[in-house]
Amino acid sequence: MTHASCEPARITEPDLIAIRDDLASREPIFHRPEWGSTRADFERMIAEGFWETGASGRRYSRAFVLDELERRYASPPLDDDWESCDFHCQRLAADIYLLTYSLRQGARETRRSTIWQRAGSDWKIVFHQGTIVQDA
């Protein structure tokens, strides 16, 4: 089996393109100061049951992530040298969407998955995972 034959099609349905683009503007999560940079901002963005699996494979709770974000933003953030691309959106259930994409940070590349939930006119992050593709 060739590598190309094992790849999923990953085609965003036409009726989900606007949602894909809206969610893509929020990624990578926690690195978009226009969406928030304070603990209160992040608490509004993150669903109560949120957790994530980092690129290290470690699982992190909502409370841990909020503490880390508060620490990170306590001093001026460094310029992040990153590029995100290859966004795909899939509806999982009513008002629940999976957004996947690739993130390049210098020589490091990760595949990212975020589960988003529509919350009225806003969005909440339910789950996030990063998986390393290559690391220099």
Side-chain angles (χ1 to χ4, degrees):
M1 175 169 32
T2 67
H3 177 69
S5 67
C6 67
E7 287 284 325
R10 299 185 66 249
I11 298 169
T12 298
E13 297 293 325
D15 63 324
L16 297 180
I17 290 174
I19 291 171
R20 179 200 63 198
D21 294 347
D22 186 17
L23 295 176
S25 76
R26 299 164 187 270
E27 298 280 0
I29 58 171
F30 313 134
H31 293 271
R32 298 284 196 163
E34 64 270 27
W35 293 108
S37 60
T38 67
R39 186 181 186 101
D41 293 333
F42 297 127
E43 286 175 344
R44 280 190 299 277
M45 292 168 54
I46 300 173
E48 286 298 319
F50 170 88
W51 62 285
E52 79 171 48
T53 301
S56 66
R58 290 189 183 106
R59 294 182 197 109
Y60 300 104
S61 69
R62 181 180 194 268
F64 179 85
V65 169
L66 287 168
D67 289 346
E68 285 298 304
L69 290 168
E70 188 171 41
R71 185 188 57 73
R72 179 190 304 168
Y73 281 93
S75 51
L78 302 172
D79 288 335
D80 282 336
D81 180 24
W82 50 263
E83 174 191 350
S84 53
C85 63
D86 196 24
F87 287 93
H88 172 257
C89 183
Q90 175 179 342
R91 185 185 331 257
L92 300 178
D95 295 324
I96 305 282
Y97 300 87
L98 171 64
L99 185 74
T100 59
Y101 63 100
S102 295
L103 180 67
R104 291 184 186 90
Q105 296 166 288
R108 183 179 191 228
E109 183 177 354
T110 53
R111 301 274 191 259
R112 302 287 175 118
S113 301
T114 308
I115 297 177
W116 290 90
Q117 180 176 27
R118 173 75 76 182
S121 62
D122 208 0
W123 293 99
K124 297 261 187 195
I125 304 161
V126 176
F127 173 81
H128 180 73
Q129 180 168 352
T131 303
I132 294 175
V133 175
Q134 62 183 15
D135 199 356

